[in-house]
Structures are given as C-alpha cells and as structure tokens.
Amino acid sequence: MDTALLLLADSRLPAGGHAHSGGLEPAVSAGAVRDVAGLAAFLRGRLATSGLVAASLAAAACAHAARDEADGGADGAGWVVLDAEADARTPSPAQRAASRAQGRSLLRAARSTWPHPALAALPGDAHHPVVLGAATAAARGTPRDAASITAYGAVTGPASAAVRLLGLDPLSVHRALADLARAVDAVADEAAAHATGPWRDLPAASAPVLDLYAELHIRADLRLFES
Amino acid sequence: MGANHDHDPYDASPAHGRALRLGIGGPVGSGKTALTAALCRALREEVDLAVVTNDIYTTEDADFLRREAVLADDRITAVRTGACPHTAIRDDISANLDAVEALQERHPGLELIIVESGGDNLTALFSRGLADRQIFVLDVAGGDDVPRKGGLGVAAADLLVVNKTDLAPLVGSDLDLMARDAARVRDGRPVAFTSLRERPGAPEVTAWVRRILREAAAEHAHDHGHGHGHGHGHGHGHGHGHEQGHEHVPAAS
C-alpha cells in the first residue's frame, strides 16, 4: 500500500472521524462493553455486519469512480443510485445522519487533498463509505484497497473511542486490533469481490442492536460522541 | 456542487465576503460562555452574528445562550467533540467547519461567527483554518502564575482576556504581576482585564472585536479595489500588525 493510501487510512486525516464512536459509546452506556474482551467482541460483530456492508459499498464506489474516469465523464446519476443503495442498508435515521455527516467531512478533506472528477461529481451529503471509495480511487487505490481501508476504519474508530471512554489500556486495545487483522483482511476480500457486480447484490448484513443503539444515543442527554 | 479543485473552497480569509470567525478558548470555568453572551448582547444590534459552541459533554453552553436569549435559536449551533475539545478546534476542524458553513448558508449576511471551544488546557490553540482571530480567556482565580507558565493559548492568542478581576483580592492574585508576565510572552499583543460581574458588557473586549471587524472590512475593500478575485490562501486574512506574533507558533503536534 503506497503513501497516498496510508494518508487516507490514517486516523489523523482531518475528516471528522474523531467525534464518532461507531456505536461504541451507546454500547458502553448500555453496559455491553466494559473491558478489552467486550470491546473485541463488539468489534468482531461490527466488522461482520456494518463493516462488511460499508467495505462493499466503498469497493463498488471505487470501481465506479475509476470506470467513470476512464469514460471521461462524471456520472452524477450513478452516484445517486449507489448512495441510495447505502441508504437502503442503513435503516436507522441516526446512523444515516452520522454517515452523511462523516461523508461530508471526508469529501471536504479528499477534495482538497486528491482532486478528482469523481469527488467533484459526488453529492455533498453522500454516505461515508461511498465517499471513501471515491477518495480511494482519487488516491490511485483499487477497490480492494477501498474495502481494506473501510474495514480497517470500521474497527479502529470504535477502538479509539473505547480508549477515551473507558480508559482502557491502549496497548491491550492495539493487541486486540492486531488479533482482528486476519478477520479485517477477510472482510476486505469478500467486499472487494462485489466491487464490479450489480449494486443491488451488494451485501446487506444487518446489526439490529447497533441500529437500536444509534437511535438511543441520539436521544441521550449525556454523550461525548456524535454517534 | 461543481468541480472545485482548482481553488480552495474553504478559504480561511474573511476578505472574500464571508463572516469573520472569532475563536474563544480557555480553561474550564474561566468565563468563555459568559464572555460570548456579553459579546452577543453588546454587538447583536450592529453586527450580523452567530455562535458555534463546542460543549464537552452536553449542549449546556448552547442551552445557556438560548435560555439567556442572547441570539435567536437558529443562530446558535452546538458541536460534539468526542472527548477531545482541542482536536475539534485544531487538528480536525471538520465538525466546526460544517457548523460554520451551515450557519453561513442559513444567514448569508453573517459578518461574525464566534466559535467557543470546550474548556481545555493552556496549549489549546485554534487552527487558522477555522478561526481568523482568537481570544484566550483566563481567570484570576486559576492562579496568577498562569501567564508566567505561558502555553500556546496564553502566548499566541490575538487577545488575552484575564477575567473575574473582582475576585483578585479574595484569591490573592496579583493583577500587575499577571500583566507583566503576559506582556513578556505575548510580544506586544493586547491583554484585557475584565470583570463581567462589575462590567457586564465587557467593554474592553467589545471594543477590540469592533476593531478587528473594521480591519476585516477594510481588508475586504482593499482586496476589491485591487481586483483580487481570490488567491489569498490560508494565513493571509490577518490584519496588518497581526502576523508577526504567529511566527513562533509551532505546528500542531
């Protein structure tokens, strides 16, 4: 993986991710995650469901952006359809809003970092995985790279939030992330296999508890993270 | 939304017709929200303004401003910072930029947007990509040695406010010492001593804000007079005499 893609995957990319916990904060509030073992289980579940869905959408978006560029056009209509596929796989309105907010921030960062016709053609409020896929194409990555960066972010974001919320030992948390590496790679492989197929066939694994947490979170009085 | 990679769509300069963005930072409890409220009350009749608050945990600061009715509800936005208030004003300003842009879209005539940070430590500094000017607020009860200790906020803010001067005799803080120490690290940039209890309008700060608004307007007129459409990137939006003090500020680590 080259430096442009490392920059895109880096949590220091100024794209608003630090204010989102990927459902970890409501899981902590509900008592479902209290320690590193609980976090690892949470991450495994998230990776297999919303992680796979997001990685597949990103892979498809990356392939679409590259195809579009080769055709010499900017297919605004195509982006609307792919974004609707993301909407259809995100039943919770709170999660939709969080995904669009992160997409908007990422689009700002990507447009100023890697100018590309696909990024210019994307709607300003596109879903995060769709933007991430297009940004990967702009940074000269493949659909597999897009899937990998997305699946990686699906576990590292909540892990970072857990360190802040629970005061977990960051070394232990990184060990848990390293233990998940093969699973992350496997999800990236599976997602990348869908990159050029029909969008309606993209994975639609659901995580009802994460949907429920997202809705509870947005109504909570005390919260540190947007989602 | 068209292709915008041939110019910077998020120009940090207020000289292009957008609102001047004023950051207000400082430790917890120093009086940032009270100062923000005072500025809103003093300026709202003469300046088209809005506020973004960066609450640490709740929307308490935004709620306070709404309850006090210092501005209409749709001119106050709260941003959540994921337990890292300094990240949201410095390393990753995305959420604040989103809030600022939404306010600007809702109120195209905005002249001033105050971005109030969450209470933070002495090293917190606003990114120049978010704030054109910044105020750092201390209070005398936090200890009269704080200006001597310095820190990026104390040293580099465009205006240092030392608040709650009415408490100085009660907590044994030496205001002259604070003024001398501040002057030593601030390279000539101004310091205002305020007591929102004794002078609720914060006239010292309000006068300074009026001045930076005039400077921004003059710069805008100057740019237009010379036919500059754009091309002034980040860091060019500051008034004459304000650049020198920023040279020793290191990049965010």
Side-chain angles (χ1 to χ4, degrees), chain A residues 41-56:
Chain A
F42 175 91
L43 295 177
R44 211 168 271 282
R46 186 169 201 272
L47 176 65
T49 53
S50 59
L52 173 64
V53 171
S56 304

mmCIF file with all atom_site columns, all heavy atoms in Angstrom, chain A residues 41-56:
data_model
loop_
_atom_site.group_PDB
_atom_site.id
_atom_site.type_symbol
_atom_site.label_atom_id
_atom_site.label_alt_id
_atom_site.label_comp_id
_atom_site.label_asym_id
_atom_site.label_entity_id
_atom_site.label_seq_id
_atom_site.pdbx_PDB_ins_code
_atom_site.Cartn_x
_atom_site.Cartn_y
_atom_site.Cartn_z
_atom_site.occupancy
_atom_site.B_iso_or_equiv
_atom_site.pdbx_formal_charge
_atom_site.auth_seq_id
_atom_site.auth_comp_id
_atom_site.auth_asym_id
_atom_site.auth_atom_id
_atom_site.pdbx_PDB_model_num
ATOM 1   N N   . ALA A 1 41 ? -15.195 -8.325  21.197 1.00 0.00 ? 41 ALA A N   1
ATOM 2   C CA  . ALA A 1 41 ? -16.425 -8.966  20.715 1.00 0.00 ? 41 ALA A CA  1
ATOM 3   C C   . ALA A 1 41 ? -17.286 -7.967  19.942 1.00 0.00 ? 41 ALA A C   1
ATOM 4   O O   . ALA A 1 41 ? -17.844 -8.284  18.885 1.00 0.00 ? 41 ALA A O   1
ATOM 5   C CB  . ALA A 1 41 ? -17.206 -9.544  21.901 1.00 0.00 ? 41 ALA A CB  1
ATOM 6   N N   . PHE A 1 42 ? -17.377 -6.745  20.473 1.00 0.00 ? 42 PHE A N   1
ATOM 7   C CA  . PHE A 1 42 ? -18.140 -5.690  19.794 1.00 0.00 ? 42 PHE A CA  1
ATOM 8   C C   . PHE A 1 42 ? -17.568 -5.444  18.398 1.00 0.00 ? 42 PHE A C   1
ATOM 9   O O   . PHE A 1 42 ? -18.303 -5.360  17.402 1.00 0.00 ? 42 PHE A O   1
ATOM 10  C CB  . PHE A 1 42 ? -18.087 -4.403  20.631 1.00 0.00 ? 42 PHE A CB  1
ATOM 11  C CG  . PHE A 1 42 ? -18.746 -3.209  19.985 1.00 0.00 ? 42 PHE A CG  1
ATOM 12  C CD1 . PHE A 1 42 ? -20.080 -2.916  20.213 1.00 0.00 ? 42 PHE A CD1 1
ATOM 13  C CD2 . PHE A 1 42 ? -18.012 -2.370  19.147 1.00 0.00 ? 42 PHE A CD2 1
ATOM 14  C CE1 . PHE A 1 42 ? -20.679 -1.812  19.609 1.00 0.00 ? 42 PHE A CE1 1
ATOM 15  C CE2 . PHE A 1 42 ? -18.606 -1.269  18.543 1.00 0.00 ? 42 PHE A CE2 1
ATOM 16  C CZ  . PHE A 1 42 ? -19.938 -0.994  18.776 1.00 0.00 ? 42 PHE A CZ  1
ATOM 17  N N   . LEU A 1 43 ? -16.239 -5.330  18.320 1.00 0.00 ? 43 LEU A N   1
ATOM 18  C CA  . LEU A 1 43 ? -15.591 -5.022  17.041 1.00 0.00 ? 43 LEU A CA  1
ATOM 19  C C   . LEU A 1 43 ? -15.799 -6.155  16.038 1.00 0.00 ? 43 LEU A C   1
ATOM 20  O O   . LEU A 1 43 ? -16.019 -5.927  14.846 1.00 0.00 ? 43 LEU A O   1
ATOM 21  C CB  . LEU A 1 43 ? -14.094 -4.769  17.252 1.00 0.00 ? 43 LEU A CB  1
ATOM 22  C CG  . LEU A 1 43 ? -13.738 -3.533  18.097 1.00 0.00 ? 43 LEU A CG  1
ATOM 23  C CD1 . LEU A 1 43 ? -12.229 -3.441  18.275 1.00 0.00 ? 43 LEU A CD1 1
ATOM 24  C CD2 . LEU A 1 43 ? -14.282 -2.255  17.464 1.00 0.00 ? 43 LEU A CD2 1
ATOM 25  N N   . ARG A 1 44 ? -15.743 -7.405  16.522 1.00 0.00 ? 44 ARG A N   1
ATOM 26  C CA  . ARG A 1 44 ? -15.937 -8.554  15.646 1.00 0.00 ? 44 ARG A CA  1
ATOM 27  C C   . ARG A 1 44 ? -17.341 -8.518  15.038 1.00 0.00 ? 44 ARG A C   1
ATOM 28  O O   . ARG A 1 44 ? -17.525 -8.724  13.838 1.00 0.00 ? 44 ARG A O   1
ATOM 29  C CB  . ARG A 1 44 ? -15.720 -9.851  16.429 1.00 0.00 ? 44 ARG A CB  1
ATOM 30  C CG  . ARG A 1 44 ? -15.177 -10.987 15.619 1.00 0.00 ? 44 ARG A CG  1
ATOM 31  C CD  . ARG A 1 44 ? -14.711 -12.135 16.513 1.00 0.00 ? 44 ARG A CD  1
ATOM 32  N NE  . ARG A 1 44 ? -13.326 -12.005 16.934 1.00 0.00 ? 44 ARG A NE  1
ATOM 33  C CZ  . ARG A 1 44 ? -12.273 -12.286 16.162 1.00 0.00 ? 44 ARG A CZ  1
ATOM 34  N NH1 . ARG A 1 44 ? -12.460 -12.711 14.918 1.00 0.00 ? 44 ARG A NH1 1
ATOM 35  N NH2 . ARG A 1 44 ? -11.045 -12.153 16.609 1.00 0.00 ? 44 ARG A NH2 1
ATOM 36  N N   . GLY A 1 45 ? -18.320 -8.211  15.868 1.00 0.00 ? 45 GLY A N   1
ATOM 37  C CA  . GLY A 1 45 ? -19.699 -8.128  15.386 1.00 0.00 ? 45 GLY A CA  1
ATOM 38  C C   . GLY A 1 45 ? -19.887 -6.975  14.414 1.00 0.00 ? 45 GLY A C   1
ATOM 39  O O   . GLY A 1 45 ? -20.543 -7.113  13.373 1.00 0.00 ? 45 GLY A O   1
ATOM 40  N N   . ARG A 1 46 ? -19.306 -5.853  14.748 1.00 0.00 ? 46 ARG A N   1
ATOM 41  C CA  . ARG A 1 46 ? -19.451 -4.674  13.879 1.00 0.00 ? 46 ARG A CA  1
ATOM 42  C C   . ARG A 1 46 ? -18.788 -4.923  12.527 1.00 0.00 ? 46 ARG A C   1
ATOM 43  O O   . ARG A 1 46 ? -19.331 -4.578  11.476 1.00 0.00 ? 46 ARG A O   1
ATOM 44  C CB  . ARG A 1 46 ? -18.832 -3.454  14.561 1.00 0.00 ? 46 ARG A CB  1
ATOM 45  C CG  . ARG A 1 46 ? -19.058 -2.175  13.801 1.00 0.00 ? 46 ARG A CG  1
ATOM 46  C CD  . ARG A 1 46 ? -18.678 -0.942  14.610 1.00 0.00 ? 46 ARG A CD  1
ATOM 47  N NE  . ARG A 1 46 ? -19.352 0.224   14.077 1.00 0.00 ? 46 ARG A NE  1
ATOM 48  C CZ  . ARG A 1 46 ? -18.854 0.980   13.106 1.00 0.00 ? 46 ARG A CZ  1
ATOM 49  N NH1 . ARG A 1 46 ? -17.684 0.705   12.593 1.00 0.00 ? 46 ARG A NH1 1
ATOM 50  N NH2 . ARG A 1 46 ? -19.533 2.009   12.636 1.00 0.00 ? 46 ARG A NH2 1
ATOM 51  N N   . LEU A 1 47 ? -17.609 -5.545  12.576 1.00 0.00 ? 47 LEU A N   1
ATOM 52  C CA  . LEU A 1 47 ? -16.866 -5.829  11.348 1.00 0.00 ? 47 LEU A CA  1
ATOM 53  C C   . LEU A 1 47 ? -17.668 -6.735  10.413 1.00 0.00 ? 47 LEU A C   1
ATOM 54  O O   . LEU A 1 47 ? -17.741 -6.498  9.205  1.00 0.00 ? 47 LEU A O   1
ATOM 55  C CB  . LEU A 1 47 ? -15.532 -6.494  11.711 1.00 0.00 ? 47 LEU A CB  1
ATOM 56  C CG  . LEU A 1 47 ? -14.642 -6.947  10.566 1.00 0.00 ? 47 LEU A CG  1
ATOM 57  C CD1 . LEU A 1 47 ? -14.161 -5.742  9.759  1.00 0.00 ? 47 LEU A CD1 1
ATOM 58  C CD2 . LEU A 1 47 ? -13.456 -7.751  11.090 1.00 0.00 ? 47 LEU A CD2 1
ATOM 59  N N   . ALA A 1 48 ? -18.297 -7.756  10.992 1.00 0.00 ? 48 ALA A N   1
ATOM 60  C CA  . ALA A 1 48 ? -19.008 -8.753  10.177 1.00 0.00 ? 48 ALA A CA  1
ATOM 61  C C   . ALA A 1 48 ? -20.305 -8.210  9.588  1.00 0.00 ? 48 ALA A C   1
ATOM 62  O O   . ALA A 1 48 ? -20.825 -8.772  8.619  1.00 0.00 ? 48 ALA A O   1
ATOM 63  C CB  . ALA A 1 48 ? -19.302 -9.990  11.028 1.00 0.00 ? 48 ALA A CB  1
ATOM 64  N N   . THR A 1 49 ? -20.822 -7.140  10.153 1.00 0.00 ? 49 THR A N   1
ATOM 65  C CA  . THR A 1 49 ? -22.115 -6.610  9.698  1.00 0.00 ? 49 THR A CA  1
ATOM 66  C C   . THR A 1 49 ? -21.934 -5.264  8.995  1.00 0.00 ? 49 THR A C   1
ATOM 67  O O   . THR A 1 49 ? -21.728 -5.217  7.792  1.00 0.00 ? 49 THR A O   1
ATOM 68  C CB  . THR A 1 49 ? -23.076 -6.483  10.897 1.00 0.00 ? 49 THR A CB  1
ATOM 69  O OG1 . THR A 1 49 ? -22.433 -5.723  11.947 1.00 0.00 ? 49 THR A OG1 1
ATOM 70  C CG2 . THR A 1 49 ? -23.438 -7.849  11.440 1.00 0.00 ? 49 THR A CG2 1
ATOM 71  N N   . SER A 1 50 ? -21.963 -4.182  9.767  1.00 0.00 ? 50 SER A N   1
ATOM 72  C CA  . SER A 1 50 ? -21.861 -2.878  9.113  1.00 0.00 ? 50 SER A CA  1
ATOM 73  C C   . SER A 1 50 ? -20.487 -2.673  8.488  1.00 0.00 ? 50 SER A C   1
ATOM 74  O O   . SER A 1 50 ? -20.352 -1.937  7.500  1.00 0.00 ? 50 SER A O   1
ATOM 75  C CB  . SER A 1 50 ? -22.193 -1.750  10.100 1.00 0.00 ? 50 SER A CB  1
ATOM 76  O OG  . SER A 1 50 ? -21.320 -1.778  11.198 1.00 0.00 ? 50 SER A OG  1
ATOM 77  N N   . GLY A 1 51 ? -19.464 -3.350  9.024  1.00 0.00 ? 51 GLY A N   1
ATOM 78  C CA  . GLY A 1 51 ? -18.130 -3.259  8.423  1.00 0.00 ? 51 GLY A CA  1
ATOM 79  C C   . GLY A 1 51 ? -18.111 -3.845  7.014  1.00 0.00 ? 51 GLY A C   1
ATOM 80  O O   . GLY A 1 51 ? -17.575 -3.238  6.085  1.00 0.00 ? 51 GLY A O   1
ATOM 81  N N   . LEU A 1 52 ? -18.719 -5.025  6.861  1.00 0.00 ? 52 LEU A N   1
ATOM 82  C CA  . LEU A 1 52 ? -18.769 -5.671  5.545  1.00 0.00 ? 52 LEU A CA  1
ATOM 83  C C   . LEU A 1 52 ? -19.592 -4.838  4.557  1.00 0.00 ? 52 LEU A C   1
ATOM 84  O O   . LEU A 1 52 ? -19.205 -4.656  3.403  1.00 0.00 ? 52 LEU A O   1
ATOM 85  C CB  . LEU A 1 52 ? -19.386 -7.072  5.681  1.00 0.00 ? 52 LEU A CB  1
ATOM 86  C CG  . LEU A 1 52 ? -19.662 -7.800  4.359  1.00 0.00 ? 52 LEU A CG  1
ATOM 87  C CD1 . LEU A 1 52 ? -18.367 -8.080  3.600  1.00 0.00 ? 52 LEU A CD1 1
ATOM 88  C CD2 . LEU A 1 52 ? -20.445 -9.093  4.591  1.00 0.00 ? 52 LEU A CD2 1
ATOM 89  N N   . VAL A 1 53 ? -20.729 -4.332  5.025  1.00 0.00 ? 53 VAL A N   1
ATOM 90  C CA  . VAL A 1 53 ? -21.594 -3.533  4.149  1.00 0.00 ? 53 VAL A CA  1
ATOM 91  C C   . VAL A 1 53 ? -20.853 -2.275  3.692  1.00 0.00 ? 53 VAL A C   1
ATOM 92  O O   . VAL A 1 53 ? -20.840 -1.936  2.490  1.00 0.00 ? 53 VAL A O   1
ATOM 93  C CB  . VAL A 1 53 ? -22.905 -3.157  4.887  1.00 0.00 ? 53 VAL A CB  1
ATOM 94  C CG1 . VAL A 1 53 ? -23.706 -2.150  4.074  1.00 0.00 ? 53 VAL A CG1 1
ATOM 95  C CG2 . VAL A 1 53 ? -23.728 -4.417  5.150  1.00 0.00 ? 53 VAL A CG2 1
ATOM 96  N N   . ALA A 1 54 ? -20.209 -1.593  4.642  1.00 0.00 ? 54 ALA A N   1
ATOM 97  C CA  . ALA A 1 54 ? -19.502 -0.352  4.299  1.00 0.00 ? 54 ALA A CA  1
ATOM 98  C C   . ALA A 1 54 ? -18.339 -0.640  3.349  1.00 0.00 ? 54 ALA A C   1
ATOM 99  O O   . ALA A 1 54 ? -18.131 0.081   2.364  1.00 0.00 ? 54 ALA A O   1
ATOM 100 C CB  . ALA A 1 54 ? -19.000 0.330   5.574  1.00 0.00 ? 54 ALA A CB  1
ATOM 101 N N   . ALA A 1 55 ? -17.605 -1.715  3.624  1.00 0.00 ? 55 ALA A N   1
ATOM 102 C CA  . ALA A 1 55 ? -16.449 -2.052  2.778  1.00 0.00 ? 55 ALA A CA  1
ATOM 103 C C   . ALA A 1 55 ? -16.901 -2.388  1.354  1.00 0.00 ? 55 ALA A C   1
ATOM 104 O O   . ALA A 1 55 ? -16.236 -2.021  0.371  1.00 0.00 ? 55 ALA A O   1
ATOM 105 C CB  . ALA A 1 55 ? -15.680 -3.217  3.393  1.00 0.00 ? 55 ALA A CB  1
ATOM 106 N N   . SER A 1 56 ? -18.037 -3.068  1.230  1.00 0.00 ? 56 SER A N   1
ATOM 107 C CA  . SER A 1 56 ? -18.549 -3.423  -0.094 1.00 0.00 ? 56 SER A CA  1
ATOM 108 C C   . SER A 1 56 ? -18.992 -2.182  -0.859 1.00 0.00 ? 56 SER A C   1
ATOM 109 O O   . SER A 1 56 ? -18.731 -2.038  -2.067 1.00 0.00 ? 56 SER A O   1
ATOM 110 C CB  . SER A 1 56 ? -19.732 -4.388  0.036  1.00 0.00 ? 56 SER A CB  1
ATOM 111 O OG  . SER A 1 56 ? -19.354 -5.525  0.780  1.00 0.00 ? 56 SER A OG  1
#
